[in-house]
Amino acid sequence: ETGVTQSPTHLIKTRGQQVTLRCSSQSGHNTVSWYQQALGQGPQFIFQYYREEENGRGNFPPRFSGLQFPNYSSELNVNALELDDSALYLCASSFQMNTEAFFGQGTRLTVV
Amino acid sequence: AQKITQTQPGMFVQEKEAVTLDCTYDTSDQSYGLFWYKQPSSGEMIFLIYQGSYDEQNATEGRYSLNFQKARKSANLVISASQLGDSAMYFCAMREGGTQGGSEKLVFGKGTKLTVNP
């Protein structure tokens, strides 16, 4: 079991709403990445934060945004939710950018 | 173009037997890393094994070994002595990007569902 925790574990939102997902990194880790995993697919990279700065972004629209806090915990915000945003959202933390990433258990988001 | 290809949507193996899960990759980088993760139904991605592009020896971690064939761009996972608890989705992933900047994102394949039969 890794030290990466995500909250909530499940939630249901209505199309058009906004959602905030949270991730607590493993102790000592300063890099957090977020991934979206649609049903039956592999995870897709959303973005990465390193020492509170965004450090790369995947092919996701601006309504996907994030933050990393001084304690290296992180938030993923999604505005104007669409049905296709329904997925498992995974957070991964690592000590530095080029070291092994440890994943949390994910947040399963359902948009109705 | 797909960067990570896992051609086996599903695999079956008898308990205590060995199984190989296939993974091929595509990159023009000289420096890259290859990972295998296990994802049980609970959703968490569990790190299994890592192979760096410059590593000369195949990686091993307990019952897991990675058959790295650089010229063929393949990084197959071998699980020896399968156990019922090995039943899960298995994902191959590649990390591109060096240490001089750029994101160190992981690119995942579509996964292989392994079922271990008693």
Side-chain angles (χ1 to χ4, degrees):
Chain A
E1 185 176 312
T2 72
V4 181
T5 56
Q6 294 186 241
S7 62
T9 55
H10 296 81
L11 77 165
I12 300 173
K13 288 287 189 178
T14 302
R15 189 172 49 182
Q17 285 187 316
Q18 178 266 342
V19 69
T20 297
L21 310 182
R22 294 179 174 82
C23 173
S24 176
S25 307
Q26 185 158 317
S27 178
H29 286 188
N30 59 18
T31 303
V32 174
S33 301
W34 285 91
Y35 292 82
Q36 180 196 66
Q37 186 178 16
L39 198 61
Q41 301 293 318
Q44 297 286 319
F45 175 76
I46 303 174
F47 44 56
Q48 181 183 80
Y49 280 82
Y50 173 64
R51 294 185 174 179
E52 303 177 58
E53 297 285 334
E54 186 177 294
N55 179 52
R57 187 180 185 91
N59 189 25
F60 281 82
R63 57 190 186 83
F64 285 78
S65 63
L67 282 173
Q68 188 180 30
F69 300 99
N71 66 355
Y72 301 131
S73 65
S74 177
E75 285 182 355
L76 165 65
N77 298 290
V78 187
N79 293 322
L81 283 166
E82 301 178 358
L83 297 179
D84 285 348
D85 296 334
S86 295
L88 178 68
Y89 288 85
L90 294 162
C91 163
S93 76
S94 57
F95 173 61
Q96 295 286 358
M97 289 188 290
N98 60 345
T99 58
E100 172 192 331
F102 293 88
F103 283 80
Q105 82 281 11
T107 293
R108 199 167 294 276
L109 172 66
T110 303
V111 182
V112 297
Chain B
Q2 204 167 1
K3 296 215 168 187
I4 296 287
T5 302
Q6 295 181 253
T7 57
Q8 307 153 315
M11 288 285 285
F12 294 87
V13 65
Q14 288 298 123
E15 195 178 6
K16 301 182 184 177
E17 292 185 349
V19 63
T20 298
L21 306 184
D22 294 342
C23 173
T24 57
Y25 60 92
D26 183 27
T27 182
S28 57
D29 281 5
Q30 296 300 308
S31 176
Y32 53 90
L34 296 157
F35 299 77
W36 277 92
Y37 284 88
K38 172 184 177 182
Q39 187 177 44
S41 57
S42 60
E44 183 179 354
M45 300 288 280
I46 301 168
F47 167 76
L48 296 178
I49 197 166
Y50 167 78
Q51 180 86 40
S53 58
Y54 293 117
D55 294 341
E56 294 185 353
Q57 305 267 2
N58 283 345
T60 60
E61 290 285 348
R63 295 187 298 111
Y64 305 107
S65 60
L66 198 152
N67 184 2
F68 181 46
Q69 298 188 40
K70 196 170 182 177
R72 294 186 177 187
K73 295 189 175 180
S74 74
N76 298 338
L77 176 70
V78 180
I79 305 174
S80 62
S82 297
Q83 302 172 356
L84 295 179
D86 294 335
S87 294
M89 286 293 294
Y90 288 80
F91 290 93
C92 179
M94 177 171 64
R95 182 192 65 219
E96 293 181 305
T99 57
Q100 302 305 314
S103 64
E104 295 281 339
K105 68 177 184 180
L106 291 174
V107 177
F108 286 83
K110 292 188 175 183
T112 296
K113 183 175 181 180
L114 177 65
T115 302
V116 181
N117 294 317

